[in-house]
Structure formats: structure tokens, C-alpha cells
Amino acid sequence: MFLHFLILGASFFQVECYFSEEKYPEESKMQLPTVVIAIIARNTAHSLPYYLGALERLNYPKDRISVWAATDHNSDNTTAVLKEWLTVMQKFYHYVEWRPMDQPTSYAGELGPKHWPNSRYEYVMKLKQAALNFARKRWADYILFADTDNILTNPDILNLLITENKSVTAPMLDSQGAYSNYWCGITPQGYYRRTAEYFPTRHRQRQGCFPVPMVHSTMLLDLRKEGMKKLAFYPPHKEYSWPYDDIIVFAFSCRAAEIQMYLCNKERYGYLNVPAKPHYTLEDDRINFVHLHLESMIDGPPMYPSRYIHMFPKQRDLMGFDEIYLINLRRRHDRRDRMLFSLNELEIDVKVVDAVDGNEDYKSHFPNRNLQAFSTRPLLVQPCHYAGDPQWVSDTETSTLWDDDSVRTDWRGSHKTLKGSVPPPEILSAAYKDEL
């Protein structure tokens, strides 16, 4: 009997010890929301490699992304470029929907490839509505619309926009000028209205996530929100009487559904091309995009093409000159690489020449001729000027070597001061200009 009690007691303590020492595994992390990326491409073969390259570099799990891609009415090789990319990338994404249309190559009443007749607006609205229906049918959490000349160079853009937790959020994109993908004001008739808030927002003098009456070109829609069920690109709202334009139709739909649009400019998210004028050709649009590409190298991050799209090498020439020289310090390889890249984009052939480096013993390159200077006008010989007189100002020389592009200098060409001296008051109050 006593032995039986000992066995039961030992069993009890073993069981108690087992449960107290057991380590439960931690709960796994929540998966990121599912996103549909809508690609609607037409006559953008020149920008597509950079657009698609930015998409493939997004810091977001590709198995949580579905791609809905459509292309139509092309007179260039947009369809071939997009198909080449999708053929390689479809195995990485959760799902890919591909809707090409080879014929016709233009719209009825279209004056050129950059002209927007009402028939084109209507077809684009139908495509966007089809993409939205696709996302809803697959129970996606978000859908990202991004025009194919909008290059999203910030790889964290999806995470940044999702964190804002807004129904409709657009990242402010940069261009060569004042143009961007939002309006700060809209007239009662649905047209653009100038406001005092636009430029401070565009130049990031004020930063944040601001309510605006219009965002377009690139925007993220949160389909989890209750009010998003009422949104539509097509057909227009029954009370719609504004201009027949896809971005204005959608802005009216948001207003009717009482959904506020937001614009975020907290970060640099990417770049967009300035809209081409109706009479522009595809070559005009390509040149504009080259300028945008070069602009992106200034503030960065720059654009890079997709690794999975074949691009023909640039056809460089001398622009009719016998030779074009790029003179650059050998130790400033960053400048040299940037200039060579820019010149290659502009299809300009150059010969690189090493500049004489002031940090090196440049006098060794020249023979000593023991020159002496004499003057017949004693008033011109003023040794005190070279002794560091703080009031001395010369319009012909400077004693300071500027070797840093990050330093902003007053370079008006008529006032240079000795190193260590105090500049005249009028120089301090002048508007600074970047040194060339």
C-alpha cells in the first residue's frame, strides 16, 4: 500500500514537472496585406523598363502581390516589352492576369499617340474598373494604380503608404517642373484651381499626409474600408456633370462616397513624366523621359531598368563635332561615372581627359621660366592687397579653392574675397547661386 502511494506521488510530481517545464512556441507573425498592382500601358516602351524595374525592386513579398496588366492601341513595342517581363516574373507573383490588345493601334478621332479623345478616356476608365473588380473578386486588401511613366524609385513605398491607413493615398511624385500628381483645389465645375498650399507642398516646405480634392497617376486604395464598396471608375456617377476625364470622374466618385483623398510628401517616392501635349510624337515623349531620368540622378534615388528586359545599346555620336571632351579629375570617379551615364543617355560620344589636379604637384608638369612682373603704374602695385587686408575685393581673382559641390558659394563673378576675410555686407545679403 505504501509502495503504491509512492508510485502515484512520483507520477504526480513528474506530470507537474512536465507541464511547468514545457515551452510553448511563440505565435508566428501576421502576413502582410495582399496587394494588386494594376498596370495599364500604352505607347510607353521607352519608360516601361524603368517602371517595371522599380516594381521588381519593391521591398514587399511578391507572393503577396498579384499583377493585373493590360495594354492596348500601341504603335510601338509596348506589348512585347510587357510580355517579356511578365513571362519571367509571373513565377514570383501570387497571380498574374494578362490582357493585351494588339489591334487597333489608335482611337477614333485621335490626332496622334498623345491625344486624348473621349473614346480614349472611356476605355481607360473601363480598364481601371476591370482592375478594381479583379481586386475585389480576389479579396485583395489593397490595389495600387501606377501609370507606366511613373517610376517608383523608393522601394519601401508600399509599406509607407499602407502605414498611413487611409482609404485613398497618393505619394507625391517629382517632375522636371512644378507639375505633380495632385491638386490642392478644384472649382465647382471640376477644373483645376490654384491655391496657396500647392507650392509649399510641392517643394516640401510643409511635409505630411494632407487631405486634397484630387490625386491621380499613382495611388493606393484600401479595399478593406467599408466606404470603398461605393467607389467606381466607370460608369460615371449618375449626378456627374464635370469634364469627361478619368481622374476627375474618380475624384467625383470619392466625393459622392464621402471618401477623402490624401497626398503624402514625407519621403521621395519617385518621379513622373510631364504629360505630353496632344501634338507630341512618341519621340517627343521619349526625350522628355530622358530629361526626367537625368533629373532623378540629382536628388535620387536614380532609375534603373529591369534586369529581365532586353534593351538595345545607345547609338552615340559626336553631334557633328570632330571631338567632344569630358575633362574630369581622376580622383572624382563619382562625378565621372555620373557624367558618362548622363552623356550615354543623351547618346553623346565623348573622350575622357584627366584634369590637372590641384592637390597633386601640378607645377612639375610645367618648366620653371623664372618670370618677373613689373608695372609702370605704381598705383597698381599694392602689396597690402596680398597681405590679407579684410577690405580688399577683387573682380579678377580669388584666393579660395572651391572643390566641394556640396558647399554653396556666391559666384556672381564680380566679387571675390581673400580667404579668411569678411565679405562685404552686400555679398552676404545676396541670393546664393550654385557654382557651376
Side-chain angles (χ1 to χ4, degrees):
M1 182 68 180
F2 180 71
L3 181 61
H4 181 65
F5 175 77
L6 288 176
I7 294 173
L8 288 176
S11 302
F12 173 78
F13 286 115
Q14 288 178 358
V15 171
E16 183 179 3
C17 182
Y18 172 78
F19 282 106
S20 64
E21 293 181 358
E22 182 176 8
K23 295 182 179 179
Y24 295 97
E26 295 183 2
E27 288 291 330
S28 59
K29 296 181 180 180
M30 291 285 291
Q31 295 190 82
L32 291 176
T34 56
V35 180
V36 169
I37 297 179
I39 302 174
I40 300 175
R42 188 202 177 202
N43 287 332
T44 52
H46 53 276
S47 63
L48 261 179
Y50 301 93
Y51 170 84
L52 299 173
L55 292 186
E56 68 192 45
R57 283 185 289 273
L58 290 176
N59 288 336
Y60 205 87
K62 289 183 172 53
D63 60 353
R64 304 295 291 171
I65 297 176
S66 295
V67 176
W68 189 95
T71 183
D72 65 282
H73 297 81
N74 294 298
S75 54
D76 65 0
N77 63 333
T78 292
T79 302
V81 172
L82 193 51
K83 183 178 180 180
E84 180 183 9
W85 185 77
L86 289 172
T87 301
V88 177
M89 294 299 295
Q90 62 180 344
K91 61 185 177 183
F92 299 108
Y93 290 107
H94 176 69
Y95 184 80
V96 171
E97 178 101 358
W98 172 227
R99 295 191 176 190
M101 187 178 75
D102 296 328
Q103 295 294 333
T105 59
S106 62
Y107 288 92
E110 188 178 67
L111 302 179
K114 291 300 167 182
H115 178 228
W116 281 76
N118 283 349
S119 55
R120 182 177 180 184
Y121 281 120
E122 182 170 320
Y123 194 74
V124 168
M125 285 188 278
K126 289 180 178 179
L127 288 177
K128 290 184 176 181
Q129 185 62 43
L132 182 59
N133 293 341
F134 167 83
R136 287 169 172 166
K137 185 177 180 180
R138 299 191 69 86
W139 293 102
D141 296 315
Y142 294 88
I143 181 169
L144 175 70
F145 289 94
D147 290 355
T148 49
D149 59 357
N150 292 195
I151 315 302
L152 309 180
T153 54
N154 190 327
D156 296 316
I157 186 170
L158 272 179
N159 293 306
L160 293 171
L161 295 182
I162 289 173
T163 302
E164 296 297 335
N165 193 27
K166 307 294 185 185
S167 297
V168 180
T169 317
M172 191 188 77
L173 303 179
D174 294 300
S175 70
Q176 301 109 296
Y179 178 77
S180 191
N181 57 318
Y182 68 97
W183 297 359
C184 280
I186 193 168
T187 68
Q189 296 77 30
Y191 290 99
Y192 174 78
R193 181 172 64 87
R194 291 186 177 184
T195 64
E197 294 81 16
Y198 184 87
F199 282 103
T201 305
R202 174 66 182 84
H203 297 311
R204 292 185 172 85
Q205 294 167 352
R206 66 166 192 159
Q207 294 186 357
C209 200
F210 306 105
V212 292
M214 162 74 75
V215 294
H216 58 86
S217 301
T218 293
M219 54 188 174
L220 183 72
L221 277 56
D222 187 348
L223 302 181
R224 304 171 303 172
K225 302 292 181 68
E226 183 71 23
M228 300 298 283
K229 297 179 181 179
K230 303 176 184 178
L231 284 189
F233 289 94
Y234 188 85
H237 193 274
K238 60 182 180 181
E239 298 178 2
Y240 186 79
S241 60
W242 290 358
Y244 202 67
D245 185 308
D246 61 303
I247 65 173
I248 305 178
V249 167
F250 184 69
F252 188 93
S253 179
C254 288
R255 175 179 292 193
E258 297 183 343
I259 293 174
Q260 179 62 58
M261 292 177 161
Y262 285 87
L263 174 86
C264 293
N265 68 346
K266 299 177 181 179
E267 309 268 349
R268 287 195 177 274
Y269 301 100
Y271 300 85
L272 81 165
N273 211 12
V274 176
K277 298 184 183 301
H279 63 276
Y280 274 19
T281 64
L282 292 184
E283 178 62 14
D284 294 329
D285 198 44
R286 185 194 70 81
I287 293 174
N288 276 347
F289 185 77
V290 170
H291 295 161
L292 180 68
H293 190 184
L294 299 181
E295 190 82 12
S296 72
M297 299 177 62
I298 299 174
D299 297 311
M303 308 175 189
Y304 295 106
S306 169
R307 298 172 295 171
Y308 305 108
I309 295 177
H310 173 73
M311 298 181 67
F312 293 101
K314 301 288 184 178
Q315 302 298 316
R316 299 191 299 269
D317 59 48
L318 295 173
M319 302 172 60
F321 297 100
D322 295 329
E323 195 71 71
I324 301 176
Y325 296 95
L326 170 60
I327 304 174
N328 171 258
L329 293 172
R330 182 180 298 177
R331 59 184 169 85
R332 294 306 302 266
H333 57 84
D334 54 335
R335 289 184 183 178
R336 180 173 297 192
D337 292 344
R338 187 170 63 183
M339 284 301 301
L340 288 174
F341 181 85
S342 301
L343 292 167
N344 181 68
E345 289 298 315
L346 295 170
E347 298 183 323
I348 299 175
D349 194 13
V350 297
K351 181 178 181 180
V352 179
V353 177
D354 292 335
V356 175
D357 196 335
N359 286 359
E360 298 177 359
D361 185 14
Y362 65 91
K363 293 182 180 179
S364 63
H365 296 277
F366 306 97
N368 184 4
R369 295 185 291 173
N370 294 319
L371 296 180
Q372 296 183 9
F374 299 92
S375 174
T376 58
R377 299 180 61 186
L379 291 177
L380 294 181
V381 182
Q382 301 180 26
C384 64
H385 286 179
Y386 299 92
D389 184 349
Q391 298 302 319
W392 177 70
V393 177
S394 169
D395 62 355
T396 58
E397 62 180 271
T398 176
S399 62
T400 302
L401 291 177
W402 296 99
D403 192 33
D404 188 351
D405 281 348
S406 65
V407 176
R408 300 176 68 86
T409 64
D410 185 271
W411 196 261
R412 294 181 292 166
S414 59
H415 295 85
K416 311 291 185 298
T417 61
L418 278 176
K419 185 175 183 179
S421 63
V422 179
E426 65 272 12
I427 295 181
L428 292 175
S429 61
Y432 283 112
K433 295 181 181 180
D434 289 336
E435 180 182 356
L436 296 177

